[in-house]
Each structure stands twice: as structure tokens, then as C-alpha cells.
Amino acid sequence: MSKENRFHSRQYLKLRLERKDIDDDPFIQFDSWYTKVLEAEIDFPNAFVLSTVGAAGVPSSRVVLLKNYDEGGFSFYSNSLSRKGRDIIENPVASLCFWWPEFERQVKVDGEVSLLPEQEVDKYFASRPRQSRIGASVSRQSEALASRQLLEQQYEQFRSEYKGKSIERPDFWKGYIVRPLRFEFWQGRKNRLHDRFRYLPSVEGGWSISRLYP
Ligand SMILES: Cc1cc2nc3c(=O)[nH]c(=O)nc-3n(C[C@H](O)[C@H](O)[C@H](O)COP(=O)(O)O)c2cc1C
């Protein structure tokens, strides 16, 4: 069997999704699925694929961790000088994609990106373990690095320089929040007849919900 064909017969049989099961409010719907994922104690429940696209129009994706969500949006932390950070400056939009195989569920959230208030970011940075704060401070995320050894040297140098001192958040380390303009909830189903519901902002306020072909 070729590597590609091994997955042809995979079926999605665990759950189903009807219009009556989903909430009119996509934030409540997200919360309901996310709560189940947390209860199931799966690995990395908060990991999602973040896609950005800079001025050149070339998309780029990577996994990041969700730090918080509420009606204001979905937030994460990163280095603003990274590829994603630069993309967001050039074009402040992003697409988030969660995949929870244990539930055969996918959630997509597309929206506008803005920076979290500095105070909030400072507070979160200060709450992180010291080693992570040092790691974040010395990483020139997404830049070419001559060797692993250099990175470890820079870590050690920073660590000894700051011994006994507090480590402030570096200015390039930012918090981002994505304000959703579109949601999609996907439930895997038998014979590839998956259930999909899309939420778009409606003109009257609130959200308009459509079932989509799988
Ligand atoms: C499970 C997991 C969690 C990650 N969480 C973050 C995160 O929260 N923030 C971050 O900047 N990078 C995170 N990364 C690293 C990113 O995937 C990526 O390598 C890095 O941010 C550089 O991306 P860029 O060059 O596209 O900007 C994570 C990677 C994995 C696999």
C-alpha cells in the first residue's frame, strides 16, 4: 500500500453536528467545544495553526498556543520581529485553525489582529518561568542562527548578567488578539459527509449561520 493510500479508508464516526446543537453565538459555541477538549485532558488542547500573509501575498503558517479567549477575541504571544510579527504589521489579519483529532473536530477563526495592551503583556511575561523569560529575551525569532552553540552561549551570558536582577519583557515580545470576522465549526462524519457550520457577522448584529457542503 502506498503511503498516500493508507489513509483512504479512514472514517470519522465519533460525533455529529446539527443546527439545533450549536449556539447562536460562536464564542459560546467555541467555549463549549474547548471546555470538552480541556476536560478530555488531551495533549496541547490550546495549540492551533496560525496563518498570516504579508504584503507580498505569500501565506505562512505555524503552530502557536492560545492564551485566552473571550468576546474580544483570541489571544497569543510571540516575537514581533518574527516572520509572523512582520506579516501582521504589513497586513493585520490572521486565520486560526484548531484540530482536535480525539473529537474529529476542527474550528477555524479568521479575523483582524491587533496588539494586546502593554500592561497585560507585561503581566503575562512576568508570570512565566525565569528560563522562558531568558529564552524569549535572547531569541531573535526567525532570524538565521549560526549554530546551536551560539544560542546556548547567549542564553548563559544573559542568565549570568541578570543573576539576582528582574527580567523585563523585551520590547519585541508582544501579545496579539484576533477579533473574529468569521468562524467555522467542522465535525467529521461518515463517508466524508462532514458537518460544517459557518458564522458570519449579520447586518442586523449578531451572526448569520450557514451549513456548508463538506
Ligand atoms: C506546540 C507548539 C507551540 C508553540 N507556541 C508558540 C507560541 O505560543 N508563540 C510563538 O511565537 N511560537 C510558538 N511556537 C513556535 C512557532 O510554531 C514558530 O516556530 C515560531 O513562532 C516562528 O514562527 P515564524 O517564523 O513563522 O514567525 C510553537 C510551536 C509548537 C510546535
Side-chain angles (χ1 to χ4, degrees), residues 1-185:
M1 205 185 275
S2 84
K3 277 187 182 139
E4 291 71 38
N5 291 342
R6 263 168 50 203
F7 306 111
H8 281 175
S9 54
R10 179 72 160 81
Q11 284 281 14
Y12 303 83
L13 303 169
K14 292 186 178 173
L15 293 157
R16 56 173 60 203
L17 194 62
E18 305 283 350
R19 175 63 187 88
K20 65 174 172 43
D21 303 327
I22 58 171
D23 202 278
D24 290 343
D25 180 335
F27 292 95
I28 295 177
Q29 181 55 35
F30 181 86
D31 188 58
S32 138
W33 276 19
Y34 195 63
T35 303
K36 288 204 168 54
V37 168
L38 293 183
E39 283 168 3
E41 296 188 357
I42 63 171
D43 246 359
F44 296 105
N46 57 337
F48 65 90
V49 174
L50 171 79
S51 300
T52 54
V53 53
V58 180
S60 179
S61 300
R62 77 289 291 159
V63 174
V64 299
L65 298 179
L66 180 70
K67 280 289 142 39
N68 196 22
Y69 65 92
D70 59 26
E71 310 77 60
F74 292 71
S75 58
F76 61 92
Y77 290 90
S78 193
N79 183 318
S80 59
L81 304 176
S82 66
R83 166 85 190 260
K84 75 182 88 52
R86 291 172 195 276
D87 281 357
I88 289 167
I89 289 170
E90 292 169 8
N91 188 12
V93 295
S95 180
L96 285 55
C97 187
F98 295 85
W99 164 235
W100 297 306
E102 291 79 358
F103 293 84
E104 299 173 343
R105 284 175 170 170
Q106 172 182 238
V107 179
K108 279 186 60 176
V109 182
D110 302 340
E112 290 172 344
V113 190
S114 51
L115 289 174
L116 285 173
E118 302 266 304
Q119 265 176 318
E120 196 178 319
V121 185
D122 285 340
K123 209 168 134 193
Y124 176 67
F125 188 77
S127 77
R128 302 180 82 213
R130 194 171 174 86
Q131 306 91 291
S132 310
R133 279 182 277 153
I134 299 173
S137 302
V138 300
S139 177
R140 306 278 166 265
Q141 195 178 61
S142 314
E143 281 183 26
L145 170 63
S147 68
R148 168 91 207 169
Q149 195 191 9
L150 176 62
L151 178 64
E152 289 179 6
Q153 270 170 10
Q154 289 172 333
Y155 180 96
E156 280 310 318
Q157 195 180 334
F158 192 99
R159 199 171 67 91
S160 63
E161 239 172 68
Y162 278 80
K163 207 162 220 152
K165 296 185 200 156
S166 67
I167 301 169
E168 299 296 311
R169 172 179 66 87
D171 194 42
F172 56 73
W173 201 85
K174 304 280 191 202
Y176 296 89
I177 182 158
V178 179
R179 187 174 71 85
L181 292 171
R182 177 193 164 113
F183 283 85
E184 186 190 309
F185 294 85

